[in-house]
Amino acid sequence: MRFQLLDIVFNPPHPVTGEAVPPADRLARVIEHAVLAEELGFDSFAVGERHAGDVLSSAPTVILGAVAARTRRILLSTGVTVLSLLDPIRVAEDLATVDQLSRGRLEIVIGKGNEELQYPLLGLDIARQYEYLEENYELLRLLLSSEDVSWSGRHRHALEHATTLPRPYAGAFRIWHGSATSEFAVDLAARWGDPIVSANALQPRESYGRLIDRYRERYAAAGHDPAYGFVGAGSGGLFLADTTEQAIEQYRPLYEGQVARLRARGYDPATHVGKAQAFETIEDAVERGPALVGSPERVAEKILDYHGTFGHVLQSVSVNHLLDPSHQEDVLRRFAAEVAPLVRAEVTTTLWGPDDARRAAGFTAGEQPGASAGAPPGDRAAALPV
């Protein structure tokens, strides 16, 4: 199993104290966590993107440029690049710049975004979000892989002999597709032979599992190499303590405060599927949902349990931004030391290893301990990439 640390850079007031972290301090913490993630042996660090709400990730490529300058080994990613909103020319330019600054350590995740207010803010029609996503993705893919591009589409002006600069560091970097609620995203990924990352954050596992199963069916039907049909999964928050009971009690104020905040914004699980928390209480989120809250042993067990359903080989985690900074770092250190080894001992993968010919060219992590070409997966499907 590979592990990623994701920061969407949420920065609302604390739900209990009402205090807010100054933006400069919050952004500095993102960079420090990326450096720490590299030191702790995380494989990837990802920055989200949003353009509405109490979120500071409106310029993720700027943040990733700063991370690239402070790190040397860790793979950099996005979570997600909201491609429905963006000009593919600028996306190609900005991300290739990050790819060059990091010397080939970039892979990205694209999607339509999970914030409805972004579309009117940027003057776009949310009813066409999937049209934007498909067209922008296909143009971005072409711009990254080719020079002297001539192209025409429905939602932007035609191009004649266009070449974006800089070029990617070592050829077009890999694009993953974010999957939360729609069949469109997994169908697009499967059609082009790209991997996916399931949000796995707010809903019951069955909602995400259905989309993952559909992706694998469509990917196989399209005739793509099964060795590259990788699946990643997010989580509904990470918090560790000596016992699961302690973790639940300590995390309760933050979790239930965030649920109350979503409800106050009018987000109802029945009408905002994939945008509203489906689990009202922390007990429910831990028992039935994707929240990784508990003892290290219980969290490792839960990741492996979800792996049995999803067959995922990339686990993305996020530490709660409302915790004291030293507590955030303690959770990350403990996850790296006590959770990751338990999971890696059970799940091996070729992702980002020597046999992954499509991996980011500058990513220097070697093969996982215990992994080998053709190693048995020990999970739900021998044909899955492991």
Side-chain angles (χ1 to χ4, degrees), residues 138-315:
E138 292 179 0
L139 177 54
L140 175 63
R141 184 185 180 98
L142 184 60
L143 291 168
L144 292 174
S145 62
S146 305
E147 301 181 22
D148 195 31
V149 170
S150 294
W151 173 92
S152 63
R154 291 185 295 167
H155 298 296
R156 57 160 294 128
H157 63 273
L159 298 176
E160 294 289 341
H161 307 296
T163 298
T164 57
L165 295 174
R167 303 303 300 153
Y169 181 80
F173 42 79
R174 179 155 48 194
I175 298 176
W176 300 62
H177 296 245
S179 166
T181 59
S182 76
E183 295 178 347
F184 187 93
V186 296
D187 288 353
L188 184 63
R191 187 189 321 152
W192 287 93
D194 296 331
I196 65 167
V197 179
S198 172
N200 191 39
L202 303 172
Q203 301 295 308
R205 78 168 76 191
E206 295 78 16
S207 300
Y208 302 111
R210 177 183 62 83
L211 293 172
I212 292 171
D213 290 344
R214 180 184 176 94
Y215 163 73
R216 289 201 172 101
E217 291 168 2
R218 297 299 177 95
Y219 185 98
H224 296 299
D225 187 342
Y228 295 100
F230 297 115
V231 172
S235 62
L238 171 65
F239 188 85
L240 300 172
D242 290 341
T243 69
T244 297
E245 292 74 19
Q246 289 173 346
I248 288 172
E249 287 309 310
Q250 292 172 23
Y251 198 64
R252 183 187 305 280
L254 297 183
Y255 181 86
E256 296 184 357
Q258 289 176 311
V259 170
R261 182 178 175 84
L262 285 172
R263 298 295 184 269
R265 289 185 63 189
Y267 280 74
D268 186 320
T271 55
H272 293 80
V273 176
K275 296 179 174 62
Q277 181 58 257
F279 304 99
E280 291 285 343
T281 67
I282 182 60
E283 285 86 358
D284 203 21
V286 170
E287 180 64 27
R288 299 192 306 112
L292 298 178
V293 176
S295 68
E297 295 79 12
R298 178 67 186 97
V299 167
E301 178 184 280
K302 188 167 188 176
I303 293 172
L304 292 170
D305 181 36
Y306 268 73
H307 172 76
T309 301
F310 295 163
H312 65 297
V313 294
L314 169 63
Q315 178 66 60

